[in-house]
Amino acid sequence: MDAYDGGSNARHGPEGPAGPTAPGVPAESGAPTPTVGLAEMHLPARPGPPAGPRAGVAALSLRYQIGVALALAVVAVGVCVHLGMTFLHVAPPNTVTREHGKAVDDWIYPEFEQNWKLFAPNPLQQNISIQVRAEVRDGEGGTLTTGWYDLSAEDGRAIDGNLLPSHTQQNELRRAWDFFLATHDGQNRPVGLRGSLSESYLRRIVVLRLDRDDAVRATTGGAGVIERVQVRSRTSNVPPPRWSREKVSTMPAYRELPWWRVPADEAGGGVR
């Protein structure tokens, strides 16, 4: 048999019986499939977004970061000390306040004065009203006396139903009267150097209120000048509840102050 015989047992060359495999034609099923290594399958990683600039304290250098941390620590310590002093000031008397009460008062007064207490075992049981009247010189040289103006009642009417009452309506008159009582004795004589200051403060407030109420025109029917004012307090006990057996008098008690002459710069309606 010829070596070039095309029989079935004839040996084929490396290119197979049909010659070289055409591109795009799949290999025979019996032929081994070439494999790709893991290293060849690994795709190159995509570069991530560039890191943005640091902000806030992290953007500072180490030296400045330490400075900021120290400043925050000082502020935190100051806040804790202030809260502690305020708590001791409004708390009932205790061992700490008896031992260090002077230090607590030096911290609180006068900038951080508190007008409340943490507990109120004995709340106020009296209603105190501040009233004023004036002597008015009319245009003909005569002198007339006004009726009593209940300034506390005016403040009460202004506060009643008001969601945002002013500090003046709530506290001005009350604090002025407390200031006067703290600097005067039972005979209305000043005690200490702040006695005259409390008198002038209270006097200016009542003159301004009289001017606001147009007391001069209501008294004289026209123009006039306030020459003197007199202030008094009306104190009455709050009635006990019906279920209580406590018996208290509800009759009001009055404390009248002497007449105060109004300076010329206040007589026209007070100093503003």
Side-chain angles (χ1 to χ4, degrees), residues 234-256:
R234 180 183 184 274
T235 304
S236 59
N237 294 319
V238 176
R242 296 179 179 179
W243 48 262
S244 175
R245 297 181 179 179
E246 183 181 4
K247 301 296 182 181
V248 297
S249 174
T250 57
M251 293 295 295
Y254 293 90
R255 176 175 178 174
E256 290 190 0

Side-chain angles (χ1 to χ4, degrees), residues 27-77:
E28 295 180 2
S29 60
T33 303
T35 59
V36 181
L38 293 177
E40 297 178 1
M41 293 180 61
H42 180 71
L43 298 177
R46 295 181 180 179
R54 294 183 299 177
V57 179
L60 302 176
S61 63
L62 179 60
R63 181 176 61 181
Y64 287 104
Q65 288 182 4
I66 295 175
V68 171
L70 291 176
L72 292 177
V74 171
V75 171
V77 171

Side-chain angles (χ1 to χ4, degrees), residues 124-131 150 152 177-178 181 232-239 249-256:
L124 293 178
Q125 299 179 353
Q126 295 177 328
N127 290 322
I128 301 176
S129 299
I130 307 303
Q131 303 173 351
D150 195 335
S152 297
W177 182 251
D178 291 343
L181 294 181
R232 75 176 182 182
S233 65
R234 180 183 184 274
T235 304
S236 59
N237 294 319
V238 176
S249 174
T250 57
M251 293 295 295
Y254 293 90
R255 176 175 178 174
E256 290 190 0

Side-chain angles (χ1 to χ4, degrees), residues 128 130 171-183:
I128 301 176
I130 307 303
N171 298 318
E172 182 185 54
L173 186 62
R174 178 181 60 84
R175 294 297 306 276
W177 182 251
D178 291 343
F179 184 27
F180 177 87
L181 294 181
T183 56

Side-chain angles (χ1 to χ4, degrees), residues 196 214 244:
S196 60
D214 204 5
S244 175

Side-chain angles (χ1 to χ4, degrees), residues 94-147:
N94 52 72
T95 303
V96 178
T97 54
R98 283 192 291 269
E99 185 71 20
H100 305 287
K102 181 66 165 56
V104 174
D105 291 341
D106 291 342
W107 180 277
I108 293 296
Y109 293 106
E111 289 83 3
F112 307 117
E113 180 184 359
Q114 304 294 315
N115 296 315
W116 61 283
K117 292 297 180 182
L118 189 61
F119 301 103
N122 187 24
L124 293 178
Q125 299 179 353
Q126 295 177 328
N127 290 322
I128 301 176
S129 299
I130 307 303
Q131 303 173 351
V132 62
R133 64 178 178 177
E135 283 187 356
V136 180
R137 186 178 70 251
D138 58 16
E140 299 178 355
T143 302
L144 301 175
T145 303
T146 69

